Amino acid sequence: MNANNPPIRFGGDYNPEQWPEETWVQDVALMREAGVNLVTLGVFSWSLIEPREGEFNFGWLDRVINLLWSAGISVDLATATASPPPWLVAKHPEIRPITESGMKLAQGSRQAYCPSSPVYRAATVRLVEALVKRYHNHAAVVLWHVNNEYACHVGRCYCDVSVASFRRWLKSRYGSIKRLNEAWGTAFWSQQYGTFDEIDAPSQAPYLRNPLQLLDFDRFSSDELLECYRSEVRAIRAVDSETPITTNFMGYFKPLDYWKWAQEVDIVSDDSYPDPVDPSAPMWAALSRDLMRSLRRGQPWLLMEQAPGAVNWRPVNALPRPGQMRALSYQAVARGADGILFFQWRQSVQGAEKFHTGMLPHSGVDTQRWREVRQLGNELSELSRSDGIVGSPTRASVAIVFDWDSWWAIEQSGLPATLSYMDEIFDWYSAFTVRGCTVDFVRQTDELVGYGVVVVPTLFAATDEALSNFDDYVERGGSLVVTYCSAITDEELVVRTGGYLGALQDTLGIWIEELDPPVEQPSRDGVDEERQLSVTSDLFGGAGGASRWAESIRVTSAQVVASFTGVRSGPAVTRRSSQGEAWYIGTNLDDVAQGALVDAVIDASTINPHPLARPGLEVVERGELTFLINHGGTPTSVDPTLLTGQSRDEPLIHLEPWGVAILRRG
């Protein structure tokens, strides 16, 4: 045991401005009892800090920060810019955002601002400068928290200011209107532009819109919000060059390209709210945590927000089962989190989120919720002291390519079929994770050496550099798995003719004659079996199910592993062996067939799945520790000799539903 090991951060959003000051002292005493060592402060306090333009009221904030620090509690100090105050919106109504349908959003909620508004940005910089000048030398402030959940409610603005900014962005990207016309293919439907000033945002239109215009507006909108973040960072760094800066991400969040954003934060932080009654939620949560760890190539991250109890924004807001919050918290630690925080500390009694739970619920301390919070805080404190887990790596043997451009592009209209990018990602992620393979996410051009298997799911918009990267990985002995609807276009959404796939045709040993997704039509008695897609393979022990997509695949130098049967015929899954292995899957396989295929991919690769893993039992190694988490609905037992390698008998480890065990290897 080493008492000098850095602590796992534990705490949550604290909103003392909602409570009389006599409550603050009680709050701090209870925080100490629960093991809280970090709180996020001031996220929605703009109107209190700056009640009138240029007039600042820091007295209450001084008292809160000093009170917290006197108890040894550090502060993640927010810039308070996520919700403009009423006086700013009243004076400058032009900062209100406009939706795709032309509706101007009102003040009275939060995020009522246009990301391109120079008025909004100037006001945020003034506020941030005042905050940083006052608190940058305060010992309690260990992290700056910029804004809050960018794009959570307003990811795209279609006002005139945003359109003008979009035009400038396009001019910077393309250089000339001639180049833009070439890239956008404006010869189609008489869309040629004479100047950038003729271009509008792709708001609602009579029919299908220009695909690259849509994609570029997605890219622009992510970049524009990132520029809002950067403007606040510049104001912080002008005064404070050392304190780390973050902004809270939201897992696999479509509006923002977090690969770009992660390069601008010092610490990745995430807000995560799994649905406690969704049996797939633990796997989706694991995916989110692995993505957060991957965004900065394995750097530890912070779980900035989660719910200790029920949220208030689902149709029905279920409570977590006893132990469920604790299990999901340890899942985050196992997958690289160095901090476990919540929204929020004390449950509100007024406002729109008064039924969103808190670490300290409405009913007070004589509650299951409070006891679980206090237990977790003290356990994490002990884990920090005894095992020194903070900063230790979570190593992965499998990489999955995750690409926001493909996500945006593949879910547009006008494609051969409607697909969900995240469903494709999840299917492959869960198939490897349930088998005890920890997964990293990578960009399409990242270095891939070191991974035993690399999966490329539906990489619709693939660059030439990416295709070369994948081929190089195979030629260096790697096992590559490419799925349908990949490399259909380049990054400008120009179709790769002559069999799609581009240079991957040689890597995979195939080309694609037609895209042929199934039409699943119900009969009077239900699904018409004769119209359904199926595949057959020795791997599956005969027939397997398939759905969503099919292709007419022509084999050149690959081996056919599985074939379509029923309403389709021809290759469905292929494998080409060279220095490494290159697999292609031309459809969406059912769970059994995909599981058999993943087993075959693993067997042909260099990776070794964890021997303790099985459905419902999550197994993750971080540093010298192995985390066992029972997400199943029934008790389970684990034989630790499979981990320790000891020949003598060891007692079985029994885990109740949502139970957790942490073992030290060796």
Side-chain angles (χ1 to χ4, degrees), residues 150-337:
Y150 280 104
C152 182
H153 311 295
V154 181
R156 309 285 183 264
C157 180
Y158 296 79
C159 73
D160 290 343
V161 175
S162 292
V163 170
S165 189
F166 181 44
R167 292 166 179 163
R168 290 191 295 271
W169 184 93
L170 291 170
K171 188 171 185 179
S172 175
R173 183 176 182 87
Y174 292 106
S176 69
I177 199 66
K178 179 176 183 293
R179 174 71 186 97
L180 178 140
N181 280 317
E182 292 171 351
W184 282 17
T186 56
F188 185 79
W189 280 350
S190 185
Q191 293 179 356
Q192 292 97 331
Y193 295 100
T195 69
F196 284 98
D197 289 339
E198 295 174 5
I199 300 172
D200 209 340
S203 52
Q204 289 188 346
Y207 186 45
L208 300 175
R209 293 166 289 180
N210 184 295
L212 190 52
Q213 183 181 12
L214 288 167
L215 177 56
D216 276 343
F217 195 71
D218 286 330
R219 291 164 168 163
F220 155 76
S221 298
S222 177
D223 287 353
E224 196 73 345
L225 282 157
L226 182 55
E227 189 53 40
C228 283
Y229 169 82
R230 287 178 178 138
S231 67
E232 295 193 33
V233 169
R234 287 191 291 269
I236 294 171
R237 287 293 177 238
V239 178
D240 182 351
S241 61
E242 296 182 358
T243 307
I245 300 172
T246 193
T247 186
N248 39 344
F249 295 169
M250 289 170 285
Y252 39 90
F253 181 62
K254 186 178 180 182
L256 302 183
D257 182 349
Y258 282 151
W259 288 119
K260 277 191 173 183
W261 280 71
Q263 308 315 305
E264 307 284 343
V265 301
D266 297 312
I267 298 172
V268 168
S269 59
D270 188 43
D271 295 353
S272 179
Y273 292 96
D275 187 343
V277 297
D278 179 359
S280 69
M283 187 66 74
W284 281 104
L287 188 159
S288 178
R289 299 168 189 341
D290 283 346
L291 178 60
M292 293 303 107
R293 184 188 67 250
S294 301
L295 289 172
R296 287 181 63 88
R297 303 292 291 194
Q299 177 183 301
W301 54 282
L302 293 177
L303 180 57
M304 186 64 74
E305 290 185 21
Q306 65 171 336
V311 299
N312 75 319
W313 37 263
R314 293 188 177 103
V316 176
N317 298 291
L319 282 172
R321 297 301 89 197
Q324 193 172 14
M325 175 273 289
R326 175 176 176 264
L328 290 169
S329 298
Y330 276 112
Q331 179 193 66
V333 173
R335 296 183 181 274

Side-chain angles (χ1 to χ4, degrees), residues 121-139:
R121 290 193 190 179
T124 63
V125 168
R126 181 179 63 240
L127 174 61
V128 172
E129 287 175 343
L131 274 166
V132 178
K133 286 177 182 176
R134 189 168 189 91
Y135 296 112
H136 77 281
N137 282 326
H138 200 297

